[in-house]
Amino acid sequence: MLRSMTGFGRCLTETPHFTQQWEIKSVNSRHLALKWRLPAAVRGLEARLEKVVRAHASRGRVDISLMLQHTAGSVPEPCFDSMQASAMLDALRQLAAARGDTFSPDYSALLSLPFLWGDAADEMDEEAVRQLEAGLASALEDWNESRSAEGRALAQDMNARILRMEEWLDVITLRAPAIREERMAQLRDRLSEALAGTDAELEEGRFLQEVAILTDRLDVSEELTRLRTHLDRLRELLSAGRDAGRRLDFTLQECFREINTCGNKTPDVQLSRLVVDFKNELEKCREQVQNLE
């Protein structure tokens, strides 16, 4: 299923040992970029948890936060690095003595130094880790539901725009040969007018040569065929589902190239307006695609 890179997901679960609440927010990005906000006791599991995320996403800038509340009697005992703290206090005491100052340690300041504090349960038991992974997976599923809903809306909007462009393409396909015939008639008239004041006559062979050159310049049949193929490809990619964002973006670039060539080769007021409208629709599709995974 086609998914947007923008979404929100949440999961709140309770176990006999703790309550976990995951929240996931994401915006568009060229690659998958994860930003974690985890409790100290869980930070060592980041690499393992990342594998869970990568099974549910391939692109986007994703913010993942976890609130972990232990139940009564299961709170892990804090682990304080007393040797490091003592060494720091001794260094400060020596500094104060060297300056002739009185040193009175503020032990409460040690609470704000996270590197001094650890968790006696740094090595969480496997069951607790599996519960965290399951909670994260549930939050990711909720997140993907929101992304899929937005992806369906974007696909519906793009399909409507593709249908409109196909209708314009039909008009261009019908109008382009008539423009070529009009330009050929104008060329004959202009050559006849130029030769009217002279004794020279219009050489049919020379005229046919000029017509061949003009016909080649005005022929957009190949461009129209490729453009129609690209529009069909856009529909296929929208129907194919996830991980289509980059391929959609590339196909839209090809559509821009072909319609630009058609506009340059068919100097006609009506078609010029259609070409401008066509490119506007392509640009709107390109903006939508930037949000697709």
Side-chain angles (χ1 to χ4, degrees):
M1 183 177 295
L2 200 65
R3 291 173 179 165
S4 169
M5 283 186 281
T6 303
F8 176 81
R10 175 182 292 169
C11 176
L12 175 63
T13 59
E14 296 182 5
T15 69
H17 301 293
F18 54 75
T19 298
Q20 55 174 320
Q21 178 175 306
W22 291 93
E23 284 193 359
I24 303 174
K25 303 175 184 178
S26 64
V27 295
N28 59 324
S29 177
R30 293 183 61 188
H31 308 287
L32 182 61
L34 305 181
K35 183 177 181 180
W36 299 90
R37 293 184 179 89
L38 301 174
V42 185
R43 289 171 188 162
L45 300 174
E46 185 175 313
R48 183 165 173 176
L49 296 174
E50 182 174 335
K51 294 180 181 179
V52 180
V53 177
R54 290 188 176 277
H56 291 78
S58 60
R59 293 178 66 194
R61 192 176 69 207
V62 188
D63 292 342
I64 306 172
S65 62
L66 170 64
M67 293 180 60
L68 196 62
Q69 183 177 0
H70 293 271
T71 57
S74 64
V75 180
E77 297 181 1
C79 180
F80 180 67
D81 191 346
S82 57
M83 294 184 63
Q84 177 69 26
S86 296
M88 293 171 61
L89 292 174
D90 289 342
L92 291 174
R93 188 176 291 107
Q94 292 175 12
L95 176 63
R99 295 173 55 88
D101 299 328
T102 301
F103 177 70
S104 179
D106 181 7
Y107 291 101
S108 62
L110 300 177
L111 294 173
S112 61
L113 302 177
F115 61 87
L116 293 178
W117 298 89
D119 195 327
D122 281 340
E123 294 294 334
M124 298 184 68
D125 62 86
E126 186 62 24
E127 178 59 27
V129 175
R130 282 197 296 266
Q131 291 172 356
L132 289 173
E133 289 177 329
L136 175 58
S138 296
L140 288 167
E141 290 172 2
D142 185 52
W143 173 61
N144 276 336
E145 286 181 9
S146 71
R147 297 200 301 140
S148 297
E150 185 170 343
R152 287 192 295 270
L154 293 177
Q156 183 177 1
D157 177 78
M158 287 187 61
N159 275 316
R161 297 184 187 280
I162 292 171
L163 178 60
R164 192 174 302 123
M165 288 187 286
E166 287 175 336
E167 293 173 352
W168 292 338
L169 184 57
D170 291 337
V171 174
I172 297 174
T173 302
L174 291 175
R175 177 64 179 151
I179 295 175
R180 186 169 63 248
E181 295 298 327
E182 291 173 5
R183 293 296 183 271
M184 290 168 58
Q186 290 176 3
L187 176 61
R188 177 183 287 274
D189 293 342
R190 289 176 181 175
L191 288 175
S192 298
E193 290 176 3
L195 298 174
T198 66
D199 295 332
E201 296 181 357
L202 179 61
E203 296 182 8
E204 191 66 21
R206 177 62 175 173
F207 174 72
L208 293 176
Q209 183 180 3
E210 294 295 331
V211 166
I213 296 174
L214 181 63
T215 300
D216 183 65
R217 291 177 179 174
L218 297 176
D219 184 18
V220 292
S221 57
E222 293 183 6
E223 287 81 1
L224 295 176
T225 299
R226 287 194 293 267
L227 184 53
R228 193 176 298 277
T229 300
H230 294 328
L231 293 179
D232 291 340
R233 176 60 174 164
L234 289 175
R235 286 191 181 279
E236 292 175 3
L237 291 172
L238 289 173
S239 301
R242 57 182 302 186
D243 300 335
R246 289 190 177 95
R247 286 172 288 174
L248 284 166
D249 189 45
F250 174 78
T251 306
L252 285 169
Q253 292 179 22
E254 295 301 306
C255 290
F256 269 111
R257 180 181 303 176
E258 302 300 343
I259 194 63
N260 271 328
T261 303
C262 290
N264 294 333
K265 295 178 72 172
T266 53
D268 178 76
V269 175
Q270 180 185 359
L271 289 193
S272 295
R273 292 173 180 171
L274 284 180
V275 168
V276 171
D277 292 339
F278 205 108
K279 290 194 287 188
N280 284 337
E281 290 299 312
L282 287 175
E283 179 60 28
K284 291 174 182 177
C285 287
R286 193 191 67 82
E287 292 174 358
Q288 300 284 44
V289 163
Q290 303 309 308
N291 291 319
L292 291 176
E293 187 176 57

